[in-house]
Amino acid sequence: MVMIKKPVYLLLLLAGIALLPACKKNDAKKEVQIDATNLTACRPGETCTYTFTDHADVDSTFAIRGGQYRLFWSRQQLSANTTGLYVRAPLCNTSFELGKADILAGKVTWVFSCPACYSIPYVAVGGYVKGVNTTPNKPADQSVWLLEAQILLSTTTDSPIQDTIKVKQYFSPGFVLN
């Protein structure tokens, strides 16, 4: 009986060694690419800002506070109507990609504020955000990021109404390092 176990163990060991390369995780990162053409335009009469800050987060009242993210936000204001997109990205990279799971986990927040409007509340439920530091050799407070986002919005009710928000723009730092 001992003679039978040795070939079985040897066969299992050889099979495990043969399968090891197939199970190895691919550590090569895919380079994030963003086409810098067709940037999001600000509509006539609208004021638009595209800003980021490091070590930040945004709370439920949309006030920016200290945190563990590189926080990007865009704001478009036309009269009393304000729309905004907040993106919580990792701090340690010169590029990043967020997908549907990240969006559903709250790393992307869409805001629409219109005090005199009767509007449908939307939440981000899908899409993607990609970001690339276009000036990686400069200090953080002098760097410029190019972001491309396509965010699927859905109502908070059972309604089938959906919308898609697209943003592609350069984001400038909203802080100064001492």
Side-chain angles (χ1 to χ4, degrees), residues 25-34 93-99 128-132 148:
K25 186 177 179 179
N26 184 4
D27 292 332
K29 290 185 178 182
K30 184 176 80 171
E31 189 176 330
V32 177
Q33 298 280 332
I34 301 175
N93 302 329
T94 57
S95 67
F96 69 91
E97 280 190 81
L98 302 177
Y128 68 89
V129 180
K130 300 188 295 185
V132 176
E148 178 181 354

Side-chain angles (χ1 to χ4, degrees), residues 9-10 25 50 54 64 66 74 88 98-99 101-102 107 113 118 131 135 138 152 160 169 171 173:
Y9 288 130
L10 185 57
K25 186 177 179 179
Y50 303 94
D54 287 351
I64 296 172
S74 68
R88 295 168 179 92
L98 302 177
D102 298 309
K107 292 200 175 166
S113 173
Y118 181 73
T135 55
K138 291 199 173 192
L152 177 63
Q169 193 53 256
F171 285 67

Side-chain angles (χ1 to χ4, degrees), residues 43-113:
R43 296 179 295 189
E46 191 174 52
T47 303
C48 300
T49 58
Y50 303 94
T51 313
F52 78 92
T53 191
D54 287 351
H55 301 284
D57 202 348
V58 62
D59 65 22
S60 60
T61 65
F62 307 108
I64 296 172
R65 58 180 175 80
Q68 61 184 354
Y69 301 104
R70 178 169 289 125
L71 183 68
F72 296 89
W73 69 96
S74 68
R75 181 181 177 140
Q76 295 78 34
Q77 188 162 3
L78 180 63
S79 187
N81 301 344
T82 302
T83 58
L85 183 68
Y86 294 89
V87 176
R88 295 168 179 92
L91 276 167
C92 59
N93 302 329
T94 57
S95 67
F96 69 91
E97 280 190 81
L98 302 177
K100 181 178 180 177
D102 298 309
I103 293 168
L104 291 174
K107 292 200 175 166
V108 175
T109 304
W110 170 253
V111 179
F112 176 75
S113 173

